[in-house]
Amino acid sequence: MRSSARALSMSSTVRAEFAALGYGVGLRPPHYSHVLESRPAVDWFEVISENFLVDGGRPLHVLDRVRDDYPVVLHGVSLSIGSADPIDHSYLRRLRQLSERIEAAWISDHLCWTGVGGHNLHDLLPLPYSEEALDHVAARVRCVQDALGRRIALENVSSYLTFCDSVLTEWDFLAAVAERADCAILLDVNNVFVSARNHEFDPHAYLDAVPVERVIQFHLAGHSDCGTHLLDTHDHPVCDAVWELYAAAVQRFGALPTLIEWDDRIPAFDRLHAEAQRAATVAAQAGRDHARRDAAAPLAADHGA
Amino acid sequence: MTTLAETQRLLWQLITAPEGVAAALAADGDRGGSVRAHLLRTVRSDQGLDAAQRLDIYANMYFFRILDVLKEDYPATRALLGDVAFHNLITDYLVRHPPAHFSIREAGRQLPELLAGHPAQTHHPCVADLARYERDLHDAFDAPDAAALRAAALAAIPQQDWPQLRFALHPSVRLLASQWPVHDLRAAVDRGETAADPDPEATWLCVWRDELVVYHRPIAEDELARLAAITRGATFGEVCALADESAPDGDAAQEIAAALARWLANGWLVNAPATR
């Protein structure tokens, strides 16, 4: 019996295609046995698509069993939507097959490039925020969505460099890609925080510029402070400043499905689950604060009049 | 203004430079500095970090991410060579075989091939076979699923049809012949023991997956030859003929019957047998 998703408030045409899943965690190999045996009360799981684009064996067996009880989102790292290379249609065919096999809640990947010249750096590199890149990426997203037969969500990445040719801000580029390609946005709050620090912009300005109706999911993760820059390491708990930014994101975009990523120095499952539960608590509090402010606003206006 | 393709090729070239971004730019400086000029036109520098330092963040992540994956894929190879030699080996490897597949699980596929002609074999003659064995374990793990052929399915086949039967090996089966017991070395490393070069000992191995678990078993030389013949599409009659050659004392029929029973029990054979 496949579980039904917890109801959260979402609206608009784009959002209507993405289920209100609640609070999930990334499914990683150290937790496979625990999840299969204990069926923890997590709302949903996200998996790295490429880890399951295999021919057989334990990964697919585990994924099928997990999918029996939980919604699953496919989150890719090799779409390379910004690459100058041709789109890899064999990859897309396999991704679509996997998505259909598990009836994936949705498919996401990153607004980045991961390789060129037929090579894969296995890293998420930023794009120049130029008109050329915008045209290129938007056209490719449409092509990918046609090949997959569904709308995808693109995630903002953490970055450590910027380009001389950029003429747009990252947030304007992200918004423009989403509008032109008619895709959704997976907003990684930690990545906004990391890039804001690395490139000295206001993370709240980022949030304020992203179109509300396009955002369908949040990511949260821990990062490392390397002194000269922050590094998106996914090996720590979410830090307080990112929780605060997450609360601000919930107030702007609503209590959207939220996913905790933890990929290195992976803790016991209960610790990871606790982080997802904290996200639910922070989101609920942010929602209440927002409602109180909305209620108070007319009074403040009256006082000022 | 550089094109997106030019920008990406520049970054790829510098990120994958084996000695790091700074060394690559220094070498470029000796040749006139055109790459550095291109980089400075492409990536912004600021008071915190210059363009090369920013790119070096990516270069480090590229190398160490793949190194970490290959450490997991080849634990005994790494243990035998030692951390420094393994690090240097992967540096060489990535120059010759930069990852091209969408999955990072494929990043180390050609490492056994590189080791087959590598100077590391001078001190560790078994290392290429060891890496091959570790790759076989890795590949068997997520090879295609297939229903193993069971003895009951063969019972109804008329005796006269047997010579023309063709079997296939389960997609997870890997066969390895080595002059060293590389499986014992890997098992020792898995137990947390120190890796030491084994004494030479002719070894034939079958690696396979049954359901979800990967197994290995030492086999006899002639058994490997028969299984290899099956992979080449030999009929059962041709496989038996191989057995005849290797069993001059006349008990070949018994031997092949016992081998067939073993293969079936282990789940090494697939496909309903078909006559020509």
Side-chain angles (χ1 to χ4, degrees):
Chain A
M1 191 65 168
R2 290 183 168 176
S3 67
S4 58
R6 177 191 295 187
L8 288 175
S9 62
M10 286 211 284
S11 59
S12 91
T13 311
V14 175
R15 287 185 171 189
E17 294 177 20
F18 294 82
L21 297 183
Y23 299 87
V25 299
L27 181 67
R28 301 295 182 260
H31 297 145
Y32 285 175
S33 296
H34 175 79
V35 170
L36 292 182
E37 289 161 15
S38 307
R39 307 286 167 176
V42 177
D43 290 341
W44 59 287
F45 285 101
E46 187 180 82
V47 300
I48 302 299
S49 310
E50 289 76 7
N51 292 350
F52 298 89
L53 295 178
V54 294
D55 295 321
R58 188 162 183 250
L60 287 173
H61 172 85
V62 169
L63 184 60
D64 287 339
R65 300 291 85 72
V66 169
R67 180 62 189 94
D68 284 341
D69 290 334
Y70 301 92
V72 172
V73 166
L74 290 176
H75 183 55
V77 293
S78 285
L79 178 61
S80 202
I81 196 70
S83 174
D85 280 357
I87 287 174
D88 183 350
H89 284 278
S90 66
Y91 167 81
L92 293 179
R93 276 192 294 276
R94 294 189 67 166
L95 182 58
R96 180 168 183 159
Q97 284 168 2
L98 179 65
S99 169
E100 290 172 353
R101 173 187 177 123
I102 64 161
E103 298 173 39
W106 61 82
I107 300 171
S108 62
D109 206 294
H110 301 83
L111 181 56
C112 71
W113 62 284
T114 62
V116 72
H119 300 301
N120 193 339
L121 290 162
H122 293 294
D123 201 354
L124 311 171
L125 285 100
L127 288 156
Y129 303 128
S130 63
E131 289 296 335
E132 180 201 6
L134 180 54
D135 290 345
H136 180 70
V137 172
R140 284 164 65 96
V141 174
R142 285 189 174 279
C143 180
V144 166
Q145 292 182 144
D146 286 346
L148 295 176
R150 64 195 303 178
R151 200 191 304 265
I152 63 168
L154 284 181
E155 175 186 345
N156 57 301
V157 297
S158 285
S159 65
Y160 314 104
L161 60 78
T162 57
F163 292 95
C164 303
D165 286 345
S166 288
V167 295
L168 298 169
T169 60
E170 181 184 328
W171 48 92
D172 286 339
F173 186 82
L174 174 65
V177 166
E179 294 294 341
R180 282 201 205 176
D182 196 18
C183 68
I185 293 171
L186 191 184
L187 190 67
D188 188 312
V189 178
N190 180 61
N191 287 348
V192 171
F193 184 87
V194 166
S195 292
R197 176 75 71 81
N198 290 345
H199 308 311
E200 299 181 335
F201 62 74
D202 176 3
H204 294 276
Y206 196 125
L207 299 188
D208 290 345
V210 173
V212 171
E213 70 284 0
R214 294 273 169 199
V215 179
I216 56 93
Q217 184 196 336
F218 296 126
H219 264 178
L220 290 167
H223 58 256
S224 298
D225 190 338
C226 301
T228 53
H229 59 283
L230 300 184
L231 203 60
D232 181 34
T233 44
H234 295 190
D235 62 349
H236 284 74
V238 178
C239 73
D240 289 345
V242 171
W243 282 122
E244 288 170 18
L245 192 61
Y246 173 61
V250 169
Q251 290 180 356
R252 173 168 169 76
F253 301 101
L256 299 174
T258 299
L259 188 285
I260 306 293
E261 293 181 297
W262 205 320
D263 295 301
D264 204 359
R265 296 198 286 181
I266 296 175
F269 188 85
D270 289 347
R271 176 68 190 87
L272 180 61
H273 190 185
E275 205 77 342
Q277 290 167 320
R278 182 171 178 186
T281 303
V282 171
Q285 183 62 47
R288 285 193 293 273
D289 291 349
H290 193 57
R292 257 198 305 277
R293 269 205 302 276
D294 277 356
L299 286 176
D302 287 348
H303 277 293
Chain B
M1 184 87 176
T2 52
T3 67
L4 187 60
E6 288 167 344
T7 295
Q8 292 178 354
R9 283 196 293 268
L10 172 72
L11 266 57
W12 185 86
Q13 176 191 349
L14 289 170
I15 287 170
T16 60
E19 305 299 332
V21 175
L25 291 175
D28 166 67
D30 296 340
R31 296 190 299 268
S34 63
V35 175
R36 173 180 288 279
H38 190 180
L39 177 65
L40 295 178
R41 285 197 309 274
T42 303
V43 174
R44 284 183 182 138
S45 297
D46 57 39
Q47 289 179 333
L49 295 167
D50 65 24
Q53 290 169 319
R54 291 195 172 278
L55 204 51
D56 210 39
I57 297 170
Y58 288 97
N60 279 318
M61 288 195 294
Y62 165 71
F63 179 78
F64 285 104
R65 178 176 288 119
I66 295 168
L67 178 66
D68 285 348
V69 167
L70 299 193
K71 282 178 178 176
E72 286 188 19
D73 291 353
Y74 297 97
T77 304
R78 172 205 180 196
L80 185 66
L81 294 177
D83 281 343
V84 172
F86 189 78
H87 179 115
N88 292 337
L89 171 69
I90 301 309
T91 303
D92 289 348
Y93 173 73
L94 287 176
V95 172
R96 291 169 174 77
H97 301 285
H101 196 270
F102 62 75
S103 172
I104 200 165
R105 279 179 59 75
E106 290 294 312
R109 175 157 299 283
Q110 292 91 1
L111 191 63
E113 180 187 315
L114 176 71
L115 279 167
H118 198 272
Q121 281 190 304
T122 308
H123 300 296
H124 306 287
C126 75
V127 70
D129 286 355
L130 176 63
R132 167 56 57 203
Y133 172 65
E134 296 200 287
R135 189 73 210 176
D136 286 347
L137 295 174
H138 183 277
D139 286 346
F141 175 76
D142 54 12
D145 297 320
L149 194 58
R150 299 302 176 188
L154 300 175
I157 296 171
Q159 195 173 353
Q160 67 271 18
D161 289 348
W162 274 83
Q164 283 74 46
L165 287 181
R166 287 179 199 276
F167 298 107
L169 298 188
H170 188 280
S172 68
V173 169
R174 301 290 186 274
L175 303 171
L176 177 70
S178 176
Q179 295 306 307
W180 296 271
V182 289
H183 60 300
D184 288 341
L185 175 49
R186 168 65 186 255
V189 171
D190 286 345
R191 291 192 299 269
E193 297 170 12
T194 305
D197 285 285
D199 292 332
E201 178 188 330
T203 300
W204 299 274
L205 294 169
C206 180
V207 171
W208 80 102
R209 189 185 74 234
D210 189 5
E211 300 295 340
L212 305 179
V213 181
V214 174
Y215 298 93
H216 71 273
R217 168 173 286 188
I219 56 177
E221 181 179 16
D222 58 342
E223 186 167 20
L224 185 140
R226 287 176 217 148
L227 291 166
I230 291 173
T231 64
R232 292 193 299 270
T235 63
F236 189 65
E238 290 163 342
V239 172
C240 289
L242 280 175
D244 287 338
E245 288 167 16
S246 60
D249 57 0
D251 58 0
Q254 277 188 329
E255 191 184 324
I256 192 70
L260 180 63
R262 201 162 53 239
W263 301 343
L264 291 167
N266 288 339
W268 292 356
L269 300 182
V270 296
N271 291 349
T275 53
R276 260 197 256 227

